[in-house]
Every structure is written in C-alpha cells, then in structure tokens.
Amino acid sequence: ETASNAVAYKELTVPCPSGKTIVGGGAGIGWGPPHPPAESPHLISSFIFGGGWYGEAQDSSGTGRNWRLIVQVICADVAS
C-alpha cells in the first residue's frame, strides 16, 4: 500500500515473486477516521500489468485528508 497522506493522485504496482503466476488481484482505498468521508477518493483502474497488479486512484475532493491506495496480487505455482 502507499503512504497514508493527502497526495491527490496515487498509483502502485505489486509484483508476483519470481517463478509465480498471477491468478488475480485488486485495488481499493483506505482512509483514517471518520469512516467513510462524504466524498471518498475513487479508484481509477486496477489490472494485471508488467508481472504484477496495478492500481491507481485519485482524491479530487480538495479536502486534504489522508488516504491510501491498497493493491493486492494473488500469485501461485501454475502447472502447464
């Protein structure tokens, strides 16, 4: 996950370990109290990218509150 801060745009790619195959993944938004804010940051995209899982999000509310982008990748040994 990214740092929890008030940066408006965030992106992150989480790679699979060497020798593993991506079988899934996803991205989401995390924020501190209060939960959730009236105008939440929004997820722009989440997909397989460059041997990992990519996510990007933006907070265009202008409130300056802290939030973070969380990206997960699911990796496995896959036999052909």
Side-chain angles (χ1 to χ4, degrees), residues 2 6 8 11 16 19 24-26 40-41 48 53 67-69 72 75 77 80:
T2 64
E11 64 180 340
C16 272
S40 301
I48 292 174
W53 199 272
W67 64 286
R68 66 192 186 281
L69 172 63
Q72 297 178 322
C75 308
D77 291 319
S80 49

mmCIF file with all atom_site columns, all heavy atoms in Angstrom, residues 2 6 8 11 16 19 24-26 40-41 48 53 67-69 72 75 77 80:
data_model
loop_
_atom_site.group_PDB
_atom_site.id
_atom_site.type_symbol
_atom_site.label_atom_id
_atom_site.label_alt_id
_atom_site.label_comp_id
_atom_site.label_asym_id
_atom_site.label_entity_id
_atom_site.label_seq_id
_atom_site.pdbx_PDB_ins_code
_atom_site.Cartn_x
_atom_site.Cartn_y
_atom_site.Cartn_z
_atom_site.occupancy
_atom_site.B_iso_or_equiv
_atom_site.pdbx_formal_charge
_atom_site.auth_seq_id
_atom_site.auth_comp_id
_atom_site.auth_asym_id
_atom_site.auth_atom_id
_atom_site.pdbx_PDB_model_num
ATOM 1   N N   . THR A 1 2  ? 0.279   2.344   -0.442  1.00 0.00 ? 2  THR A N   1
ATOM 2   C CA  . THR A 1 2  ? 1.012   3.603   -0.458  1.00 0.00 ? 2  THR A CA  1
ATOM 3   C C   . THR A 1 2  ? 1.007   4.202   0.946   1.00 0.00 ? 2  THR A C   1
ATOM 4   O O   . THR A 1 2  ? 0.293   3.728   1.836   1.00 0.00 ? 2  THR A O   1
ATOM 5   C CB  . THR A 1 2  ? 0.357   4.614   -1.418  1.00 0.00 ? 2  THR A CB  1
ATOM 6   O OG1 . THR A 1 2  ? -0.953  4.942   -0.930  1.00 0.00 ? 2  THR A OG1 1
ATOM 7   C CG2 . THR A 1 2  ? 0.282   4.075   -2.831  1.00 0.00 ? 2  THR A CG2 1
ATOM 8   N N   . ALA A 1 6  ? -2.132  13.114  2.087   1.00 0.00 ? 6  ALA A N   1
ATOM 9   C CA  . ALA A 1 6  ? -3.139  13.864  1.344   1.00 0.00 ? 6  ALA A CA  1
ATOM 10  C C   . ALA A 1 6  ? -2.776  14.070  -0.125  1.00 0.00 ? 6  ALA A C   1
ATOM 11  O O   . ALA A 1 6  ? -3.380  14.892  -0.793  1.00 0.00 ? 6  ALA A O   1
ATOM 12  C CB  . ALA A 1 6  ? -3.368  15.208  2.026   1.00 0.00 ? 6  ALA A CB  1
ATOM 13  N N   . ALA A 1 8  ? -3.055  13.862  -3.902  1.00 0.00 ? 8  ALA A N   1
ATOM 14  C CA  . ALA A 1 8  ? -4.312  13.697  -4.634  1.00 0.00 ? 8  ALA A CA  1
ATOM 15  C C   . ALA A 1 8  ? -4.341  12.481  -5.557  1.00 0.00 ? 8  ALA A C   1
ATOM 16  O O   . ALA A 1 8  ? -5.389  11.874  -5.740  1.00 0.00 ? 8  ALA A O   1
ATOM 17  C CB  . ALA A 1 8  ? -4.622  14.959  -5.432  1.00 0.00 ? 8  ALA A CB  1
ATOM 18  N N   . GLU A 1 11 ? -0.549  5.812   -7.462  1.00 0.00 ? 11 GLU A N   1
ATOM 19  C CA  . GLU A 1 11 ? -0.509  4.603   -8.271  1.00 0.00 ? 11 GLU A CA  1
ATOM 20  C C   . GLU A 1 11 ? 0.506   3.654   -7.660  1.00 0.00 ? 11 GLU A C   1
ATOM 21  O O   . GLU A 1 11 ? 1.450   4.081   -6.994  1.00 0.00 ? 11 GLU A O   1
ATOM 22  C CB  . GLU A 1 11 ? -0.163  4.905   -9.728  1.00 0.00 ? 11 GLU A CB  1
ATOM 23  C CG  . GLU A 1 11 ? 1.214   5.470   -9.933  1.00 0.00 ? 11 GLU A CG  1
ATOM 24  C CD  . GLU A 1 11 ? 1.507   5.757   -11.397 1.00 0.00 ? 11 GLU A CD  1
ATOM 25  O OE1 . GLU A 1 11 ? 0.829   5.202   -12.283 1.00 0.00 ? 11 GLU A OE1 1
ATOM 26  O OE2 . GLU A 1 11 ? 2.420   6.545   -11.654 1.00 0.00 ? 11 GLU A OE2 1
ATOM 27  N N   . CYS A 1 16 ? 4.447   -10.186 -8.518  1.00 0.00 ? 16 CYS A N   1
ATOM 28  C CA  . CYS A 1 16 ? 4.488   -11.558 -8.022  1.00 0.00 ? 16 CYS A CA  1
ATOM 29  C C   . CYS A 1 16 ? 5.954   -11.920 -7.791  1.00 0.00 ? 16 CYS A C   1
ATOM 30  O O   . CYS A 1 16 ? 6.834   -11.433 -8.501  1.00 0.00 ? 16 CYS A O   1
ATOM 31  C CB  . CYS A 1 16 ? 3.916   -12.526 -9.056  1.00 0.00 ? 16 CYS A CB  1
ATOM 32  S SG  . CYS A 1 16 ? 2.150   -12.757 -8.965  1.00 0.00 ? 16 CYS A SG  1
ATOM 33  N N   . GLY A 1 19 ? 9.004   -16.688 -10.516 1.00 0.00 ? 19 GLY A N   1
ATOM 34  C CA  . GLY A 1 19 ? 8.546   -18.057 -10.701 1.00 0.00 ? 19 GLY A CA  1
ATOM 35  C C   . GLY A 1 19 ? 7.076   -18.281 -10.432 1.00 0.00 ? 19 GLY A C   1
ATOM 36  O O   . GLY A 1 19 ? 6.557   -19.368 -10.653 1.00 0.00 ? 19 GLY A O   1
ATOM 37  N N   . GLY A 1 24 ? -4.849  -13.457 -9.891  1.00 0.00 ? 24 GLY A N   1
ATOM 38  C CA  . GLY A 1 24 ? -5.874  -12.477 -9.543  1.00 0.00 ? 24 GLY A CA  1
ATOM 39  C C   . GLY A 1 24 ? -5.273  -11.307 -8.815  1.00 0.00 ? 24 GLY A C   1
ATOM 40  O O   . GLY A 1 24 ? -4.068  -11.256 -8.558  1.00 0.00 ? 24 GLY A O   1
ATOM 41  N N   . GLY A 1 25 ? -6.109  -10.374 -8.477  1.00 0.00 ? 25 GLY A N   1
ATOM 42  C CA  . GLY A 1 25 ? -5.650  -9.200  -7.742  1.00 0.00 ? 25 GLY A CA  1
ATOM 43  C C   . GLY A 1 25 ? -6.750  -8.180  -7.643  1.00 0.00 ? 25 GLY A C   1
ATOM 44  O O   . GLY A 1 25 ? -7.880  -8.398  -8.095  1.00 0.00 ? 25 GLY A O   1
ATOM 45  N N   . GLY A 1 26 ? -6.418  -7.058  -7.061  1.00 0.00 ? 26 GLY A N   1
ATOM 46  C CA  . GLY A 1 26 ? -7.394  -5.988  -6.922  1.00 0.00 ? 26 GLY A CA  1
ATOM 47  C C   . GLY A 1 26 ? -6.804  -4.790  -6.230  1.00 0.00 ? 26 GLY A C   1
ATOM 48  O O   . GLY A 1 26 ? -5.661  -4.821  -5.770  1.00 0.00 ? 26 GLY A O   1
ATOM 49  N N   . SER A 1 40 ? -15.420 10.378  -1.056  1.00 0.00 ? 40 SER A N   1
ATOM 50  C CA  . SER A 1 40 ? -14.295 9.453   -0.970  1.00 0.00 ? 40 SER A CA  1
ATOM 51  C C   . SER A 1 40 ? -13.386 9.569   -2.185  1.00 0.00 ? 40 SER A C   1
ATOM 52  O O   . SER A 1 40 ? -13.848 9.894   -3.274  1.00 0.00 ? 40 SER A O   1
ATOM 53  C CB  . SER A 1 40 ? -14.811 8.015   -0.899  1.00 0.00 ? 40 SER A CB  1
ATOM 54  O OG  . SER A 1 40 ? -15.634 7.841   0.212   1.00 0.00 ? 40 SER A OG  1
ATOM 55  N N   . PRO A 1 41 ? -12.099 9.251   -2.015  1.00 0.00 ? 41 PRO A N   1
ATOM 56  C CA  . PRO A 1 41 ? -11.240 9.084   -3.182  1.00 0.00 ? 41 PRO A CA  1
ATOM 57  C C   . PRO A 1 41 ? -11.836 7.975   -4.051  1.00 0.00 ? 41 PRO A C   1
ATOM 58  O O   . PRO A 1 41 ? -12.544 7.107   -3.552  1.00 0.00 ? 41 PRO A O   1
ATOM 59  C CB  . PRO A 1 41 ? -9.906  8.641   -2.577  1.00 0.00 ? 41 PRO A CB  1
ATOM 60  C CG  . PRO A 1 41 ? -9.944  9.110   -1.167  1.00 0.00 ? 41 PRO A CG  1
ATOM 61  C CD  . PRO A 1 41 ? -11.384 9.029   -0.763  1.00 0.00 ? 41 PRO A CD  1
ATOM 62  N N   . ILE A 1 48 ? -3.906  -6.380  -14.345 1.00 0.00 ? 48 ILE A N   1
ATOM 63  C CA  . ILE A 1 48 ? -2.600  -7.022  -14.463 1.00 0.00 ? 48 ILE A CA  1
ATOM 64  C C   . ILE A 1 48 ? -1.710  -6.113  -15.303 1.00 0.00 ? 48 ILE A C   1
ATOM 65  O O   . ILE A 1 48 ? -2.134  -5.625  -16.360 1.00 0.00 ? 48 ILE A O   1
ATOM 66  C CB  . ILE A 1 48 ? -2.716  -8.403  -15.146 1.00 0.00 ? 48 ILE A CB  1
ATOM 67  C CG1 . ILE A 1 48 ? -3.467  -9.376  -14.249 1.00 0.00 ? 48 ILE A CG1 1
ATOM 68  C CG2 . ILE A 1 48 ? -1.336  -8.957  -15.489 1.00 0.00 ? 48 ILE A CG2 1
ATOM 69  C CD1 . ILE A 1 48 ? -3.749  -10.712 -14.918 1.00 0.00 ? 48 ILE A CD1 1
ATOM 70  N N   . TRP A 1 53 ? 0.220   -6.580  -10.247 1.00 0.00 ? 53 TRP A N   1
ATOM 71  C CA  . TRP A 1 53 ? -1.115  -5.983  -10.288 1.00 0.00 ? 53 TRP A CA  1
ATOM 72  C C   . TRP A 1 53 ? -0.975  -4.490  -10.063 1.00 0.00 ? 53 TRP A C   1
ATOM 73  O O   . TRP A 1 53 ? -0.275  -4.055  -9.159  1.00 0.00 ? 53 TRP A O   1
ATOM 74  C CB  . TRP A 1 53 ? -2.028  -6.592  -9.224  1.00 0.00 ? 53 TRP A CB  1
ATOM 75  C CG  . TRP A 1 53 ? -3.465  -6.338  -9.550  1.00 0.00 ? 53 TRP A CG  1
ATOM 76  C CD1 . TRP A 1 53 ? -4.206  -5.247  -9.205  1.00 0.00 ? 53 TRP A CD1 1
ATOM 77  C CD2 . TRP A 1 53 ? -4.314  -7.165  -10.333 1.00 0.00 ? 53 TRP A CD2 1
ATOM 78  N NE1 . TRP A 1 53 ? -5.472  -5.350  -9.718  1.00 0.00 ? 53 TRP A NE1 1
ATOM 79  C CE2 . TRP A 1 53 ? -5.567  -6.518  -10.422 1.00 0.00 ? 53 TRP A CE2 1
ATOM 80  C CE3 . TRP A 1 53 ? -4.149  -8.388  -10.978 1.00 0.00 ? 53 TRP A CE3 1
ATOM 81  C CZ2 . TRP A 1 53 ? -6.638  -7.063  -11.113 1.00 0.00 ? 53 TRP A CZ2 1
ATOM 82  C CZ3 . TRP A 1 53 ? -5.220  -8.926  -11.667 1.00 0.00 ? 53 TRP A CZ3 1
ATOM 83  C CH2 . TRP A 1 53 ? -6.453  -8.264  -11.731 1.00 0.00 ? 53 TRP A CH2 1
ATOM 84  N N   . TRP A 1 67 ? -5.356  9.500   3.016   1.00 0.00 ? 67 TRP A N   1
ATOM 85  C CA  . TRP A 1 67 ? -5.919  8.280   2.455   1.00 0.00 ? 67 TRP A CA  1
ATOM 86  C C   . TRP A 1 67 ? -4.776  7.468   1.867   1.00 0.00 ? 67 TRP A C   1
ATOM 87  O O   . TRP A 1 67 ? -3.662  7.951   1.737   1.00 0.00 ? 67 TRP A O   1
ATOM 88  C CB  . TRP A 1 67 ? -6.989  8.580   1.414   1.00 0.00 ? 67 TRP A CB  1
ATOM 89  C CG  . TRP A 1 67 ? -6.476  9.289   0.189   1.00 0.00 ? 67 TRP A CG  1
ATOM 90  C CD1 . TRP A 1 67 ? -6.107  10.607  0.095   1.00 0.00 ? 67 TRP A CD1 1
ATOM 91  C CD2 . TRP A 1 67 ? -6.249  8.723   -1.095  1.00 0.00 ? 67 TRP A CD2 1
ATOM 92  N NE1 . TRP A 1 67 ? -5.667  10.891  -1.163  1.00 0.00 ? 67 TRP A NE1 1
ATOM 93  C CE2 . TRP A 1 67 ? -5.741  9.749   -1.929  1.00 0.00 ? 67 TRP A CE2 1
ATOM 94  C CE3 . TRP A 1 67 ? -6.414  7.461   -1.637  1.00 0.00 ? 67 TRP A CE3 1
ATOM 95  C CZ2 . TRP A 1 67 ? -5.410  9.545   -3.259  1.00 0.00 ? 67 TRP A CZ2 1
ATOM 96  C CZ3 . TRP A 1 67 ? -6.087  7.261   -2.971  1.00 0.00 ? 67 TRP A CZ3 1
ATOM 97  C CH2 . TRP A 1 67 ? -5.594  8.293   -3.762  1.00 0.00 ? 67 TRP A CH2 1
ATOM 98  N N   . ARG A 1 68 ? -5.048  6.201   1.518   1.00 0.00 ? 68 ARG A N   1
ATOM 99  C CA  . ARG A 1 68 ? -4.012  5.352   0.928   1.00 0.00 ? 68 ARG A CA  1
ATOM 100 C C   . ARG A 1 68 ? -4.631  4.444   -0.132  1.00 0.00 ? 68 ARG A C   1
ATOM 101 O O   . ARG A 1 68 ? -5.823  4.141   -0.090  1.00 0.00 ? 68 ARG A O   1
ATOM 102 C CB  . ARG A 1 68 ? -3.295  4.532   1.998   1.00 0.00 ? 68 ARG A CB  1
ATOM 103 C CG  . ARG A 1 68 ? -4.148  3.502   2.680   1.00 0.00 ? 68 ARG A CG  1
ATOM 104 C CD  . ARG A 1 68 ? -3.441  2.935   3.927   1.00 0.00 ? 68 ARG A CD  1
ATOM 105 N NE  . ARG A 1 68 ? -4.182  1.853   4.512   1.00 0.00 ? 68 ARG A NE  1
ATOM 106 C CZ  . ARG A 1 68 ? -5.247  1.979   5.290   1.00 0.00 ? 68 ARG A CZ  1
ATOM 107 N NH1 . ARG A 1 68 ? -5.721  3.175   5.577   1.00 0.00 ? 68 ARG A NH1 1
ATOM 108 N NH2 . ARG A 1 68 ? -5.853  0.924   5.785   1.00 0.00 ? 68 ARG A NH2 1
ATOM 109 N N   . LEU A 1 69 ? -3.794  4.041   -1.075  1.00 0.00 ? 69 LEU A N   1
ATOM 110 C CA  . LEU A 1 69 ? -4.178  3.094   -2.112  1.00 0.00 ? 69 LEU A CA  1
ATOM 111 C C   . LEU A 1 69 ? -3.642  1.733   -1.692  1.00 0.00 ? 69 LEU A C   1
ATOM 112 O O   . LEU A 1 69 ? -2.471  1.600   -1.354  1.00 0.00 ? 69 LEU A O   1
ATOM 113 C CB  . LEU A 1 69 ? -3.581  3.513   -3.458  1.00 0.00 ? 69 LEU A CB  1
ATOM 114 C CG  . LEU A 1 69 ? -3.722  2.531   -4.618  1.00 0.00 ? 69 LEU A CG  1
ATOM 115 C CD1 . LEU A 1 69 ? -5.200  2.313   -4.966  1.00 0.00 ? 69 LEU A CD1 1
ATOM 116 C CD2 . LEU A 1 69 ? -2.960  3.042   -5.831  1.00 0.00 ? 69 LEU A CD2 1
ATOM 117 N N   . GLN A 1 72 ? -3.413  -5.496  -4.072  1.00 0.00 ? 72 GLN A N   1
ATOM 118 C CA  . GLN A 1 72 ? -3.075  -6.875  -3.748  1.00 0.00 ? 72 GLN A CA  1
ATOM 119 C C   . GLN A 1 72 ? -2.951  -7.682  -5.027  1.00 0.00 ? 72 GLN A C   1
ATOM 120 O O   . GLN A 1 72 ? -3.696  -7.479  -5.969  1.00 0.00 ? 72 GLN A O   1
ATOM 121 C CB  . GLN A 1 72 ? -4.153  -7.510  -2.871  1.00 0.00 ? 72 GLN A CB  1
ATOM 122 C CG  . GLN A 1 72 ? -4.293  -6.842  -1.534  1.00 0.00 ? 72 GLN A CG  1
ATOM 123 C CD  . GLN A 1 72 ? -5.402  -7.461  -0.704  1.00 0.00 ? 72 GLN A CD  1
ATOM 124 O OE1 . GLN A 1 72 ? -6.442  -7.838  -1.221  1.00 0.00 ? 72 GLN A OE1 1
ATOM 125 N NE2 . GLN A 1 72 ? -5.178  -7.566  0.578   1.00 0.00 ? 72 GLN A NE2 1
ATOM 126 N N   . CYS A 1 75 ? -0.763  -14.714 -6.291  1.00 0.00 ? 75 CYS A N   1
ATOM 127 C CA  . CYS A 1 75 ? 0.223   -15.438 -7.094  1.00 0.00 ? 75 CYS A CA  1
ATOM 128 C C   . CYS A 1 75 ? 0.221   -16.912 -6.713  1.00 0.00 ? 75 CYS A C   1
ATOM 129 O O   . CYS A 1 75 ? -0.047  -17.246 -5.564  1.00 0.00 ? 75 CYS A O   1
ATOM 130 C CB  . CYS A 1 75 ? 1.609   -14.857 -6.858  1.00 0.00 ? 75 CYS A CB  1
ATOM 131 S SG  . CYS A 1 75 ? 1.689   -13.068 -7.067  1.00 0.00 ? 75 CYS A SG  1
ATOM 132 N N   . ASP A 1 77 ? 1.861   -21.139 -7.945  1.00 0.00 ? 77 ASP A N   1
ATOM 133 C CA  . ASP A 1 77 ? 2.594   -22.043 -8.830  1.00 0.00 ? 77 ASP A CA  1
ATOM 134 C C   . ASP A 1 77 ? 1.554   -22.664 -9.748  1.00 0.00 ? 77 ASP A C   1
ATOM 135 O O   . ASP A 1 77 ? 0.586   -23.256 -9.281  1.00 0.00 ? 77 ASP A O   1
ATOM 136 C CB  . ASP A 1 77 ? 3.294   -23.142 -8.033  1.00 0.00 ? 77 ASP A CB  1
ATOM 137 C CG  . ASP A 1 77 ? 4.435   -22.599 -7.200  1.00 0.00 ? 77 ASP A CG  1
ATOM 138 O OD1 . ASP A 1 77 ? 5.179   -21.733 -7.700  1.00 0.00 ? 77 ASP A OD1 1
ATOM 139 O OD2 . ASP A 1 77 ? 4.580   -23.021 -6.041  1.00 0.00 ? 77 ASP A OD2 1
ATOM 140 N N   . SER A 1 80 ? 1.657   -26.281 -16.256 1.00 0.00 ? 80 SER A N   1
ATOM 141 C CA  . SER A 1 80 ? 1.101   -26.180 -17.609 1.00 0.00 ? 80 SER A CA  1
ATOM 142 C C   . SER A 1 80 ? 0.606   -27.504 -18.120 1.00 0.00 ? 80 SER A C   1
ATOM 143 O O   . SER A 1 80 ? 0.813   -28.529 -17.599 1.00 0.00 ? 80 SER A O   1
ATOM 144 C CB  . SER A 1 80 ? 2.133   -25.616 -18.578 1.00 0.00 ? 80 SER A CB  1
ATOM 145 O OG  . SER A 1 80 ? 3.357   -26.284 -18.462 1.00 0.00 ? 80 SER A OG  1
#
